[in-house]
Amino acid sequence: MSYKIIQTIYLALLGFTISASLLAGVVGAPVVFNANDYIHGTMLTHFQMGELMSEIFRRLSYLVTFTATAIFLFEGYNLYKKEKCKLYYIFGAIAISTALAFSFYFIPTILELQLQGQNVTNSELFISTHKNSELIFKVFTFSSLALFTLRLFRAQK
């Protein structure tokens, strides 16, 4: 398979992952956390809405992990080929590290805390973990977008 085809697939994967990340945060979260405005006859608690949103992000973490692996392989290959632009590796390293932290630390921790019940989700530990997971996910999305933009401009040369 040629480098151009692999690069196109890589860019498509980055674009898809960025879109899915934005969709989950910008569209999914407001709908889920306002579910009672849309569902008549059933009243979900904030805790139940949080469980739904956690399931969305748990499933999204599979794509995030797959994308981190692709970033590692593609950018690693380019590093091996001695590509000169250091920004690819900086944004790639940030994307990989935040993706892995999100998928293998924050999501499991949040799910584990939720299993302990609604009272735990009001704890300082849960609130702090949740806020940090949001920040990490935003950094992942931004670094992936930066990597996508840099690679797209490079591909058009």
Side-chain angles (χ1 to χ4, degrees):
M1 196 178 303
S2 78
Y3 181 82
K4 284 286 188 189
I5 293 171
I6 292 171
Q7 183 179 42
T8 301
I9 293 168
Y10 177 67
L11 286 170
L13 176 62
L14 282 175
F16 182 74
T17 304
I18 293 162
S19 298
S21 299
L22 292 172
L23 188 64
V26 175
V27 176
V31 170
V32 168
F33 284 106
N34 292 297
N36 292 331
D37 295 344
Y38 309 111
I39 302 172
H40 301 288
T42 302
M43 295 300 287
L44 297 175
T45 65
H46 188 74
F47 177 72
Q48 291 169 321
M49 293 175 199
E51 288 180 311
L52 288 173
M53 202 67 226
S54 293
E55 181 60 20
I56 290 169
F57 278 103
R58 184 189 66 79
R59 292 178 185 199
L60 184 58
S61 74
Y62 298 133
L63 176 62
V64 168
T65 302
F66 181 77
T67 301
T69 304
I71 292 169
F72 177 79
L73 293 173
F74 188 82
E75 300 303 336
Y77 174 79
N78 287 306
L79 180 62
Y80 172 75
K81 290 293 188 183
K82 299 191 182 349
E83 192 171 54
K84 295 192 185 325
C85 183
K86 302 270 189 266
L87 284 176
Y88 298 127
Y89 312 120
I90 293 169
F91 286 121
I94 293 169
I96 292 167
S97 60
T98 55
L100 296 177
F102 178 77
S103 296
F104 294 106
Y105 174 72
F106 287 104
I107 291 296
T109 301
I110 287 170
L111 292 173
E112 183 180 313
L113 289 170
Q114 283 177 329
L115 285 175
Q116 295 177 26
Q118 187 170 354
N119 291 338
V120 174
T121 61
N122 295 323
S123 71
E124 193 59 42
L125 173 63
F126 182 86
I127 293 167
S128 172
T129 302
H130 183 266
K131 284 189 184 299
N132 287 328
S133 75
E134 287 178 340
L135 175 63
I136 288 292
F137 195 71
K138 288 174 185 174
V139 171
F140 165 75
T141 303
F142 173 79
S143 59
S144 297
L145 180 60
L147 192 56
F148 174 82
T149 304
L150 287 170
R151 284 285 173 201
L152 186 61
F153 284 123
R154 170 83 179 207
Q156 292 178 353
K157 285 185 179 180

